[in-house]
Amino acid sequence: MLGLVSVGEQFRVTRRGSTRGGVALLLGLALGGAGCEKKAEPTPKDTTIAGYCEPKPCNRFEQSHADVVARTGPGSGCFLANAGRCGDLKYIEFSDGYHGYTEFFDAKGTMVGAKRWSDISPKESFGRVPDCKLEITEEICKRDDAG
């Protein structure tokens, strides 16, 4: 009969004369402790603008603006929300202090790029993200220190 011997966090199969060893082996395999499982390979990140918006189509400028306005107001926890220009593009940005995003739109209102961040994950960029100064044309909410 085969048995299972624990060595630290690793398990190895040994020969035993009792059925308890077989039970231990099966239990070890069921719990994934035998070290035989294959870890999934990470899938490549889709950095296109469609990858940012999935599973639904990207918003147009007007819809993103309306969504941000709806999320803000007294007591909403809004840290900042602005609309403005960045070079030849318009933008909308929102943050609650823990995560945030900036979305960029062409003159027709089509989303062409976005970046997002959170305090527990790295910044991500999608599509066309310009390297320019954000010029605020509308301050949708100011930092809400009162909570």
Side-chain angles (χ1 to χ4, degrees):
M1 178 56 81
L2 295 176
L4 189 65
V5 176
S6 174
V7 181
E9 290 189 29
Q10 300 293 319
F11 294 87
R12 65 185 157 97
V13 177
T14 61
R15 292 218 172 255
R16 292 202 178 197
S18 76
T19 57
R20 284 185 290 181
V23 171
L25 174 63
L26 293 175
L27 180 60
L29 290 173
L31 295 176
C36 298
E37 67 278 355
K38 182 177 178 178
K39 297 190 181 202
E41 295 293 321
T43 55
K45 185 85 174 150
D46 182 357
T47 58
T48 66
I49 192 61
Y52 171 77
C53 301
E54 347 184 271
K56 53 188 176 176
C58 291
N59 285 339
R60 299 194 45 78
F61 177 82
E62 298 78 15
Q63 184 61 53
S64 285
H65 185 274
D67 289 350
V68 168
V69 168
R71 293 177 69 179
T72 61
S76 67
C78 176
F79 185 77
L80 71 87
N82 298 310
R85 299 206 61 79
C86 182
D88 64 336
L89 302 176
K90 296 186 281 186
Y91 76 89
I92 294 284
E93 68 178 337
F94 174 83
S95 172
D96 63 6
Y98 299 105
H99 79 283
Y101 60 86
T102 306
E103 298 172 339
F104 299 94
F105 302 85
D106 66 15
K108 295 179 180 178
T110 303
M111 189 183 299
V112 296
K115 59 185 178 179
R116 66 181 170 207
W117 60 270
S118 86
D119 61 351
I120 60 171
S121 63
K123 293 179 181 178
E124 300 176 291
S125 294
F126 302 85
R128 177 181 169 204
V129 176
D131 182 18
C132 60
K133 185 176 190 266
L134 299 179
E135 299 173 27
I136 299 171
T137 59
E138 179 186 2
E139 193 172 36
I140 300 169
C141 85
K142 295 181 181 180
R143 183 175 170 174
D144 186 3
D145 285 334

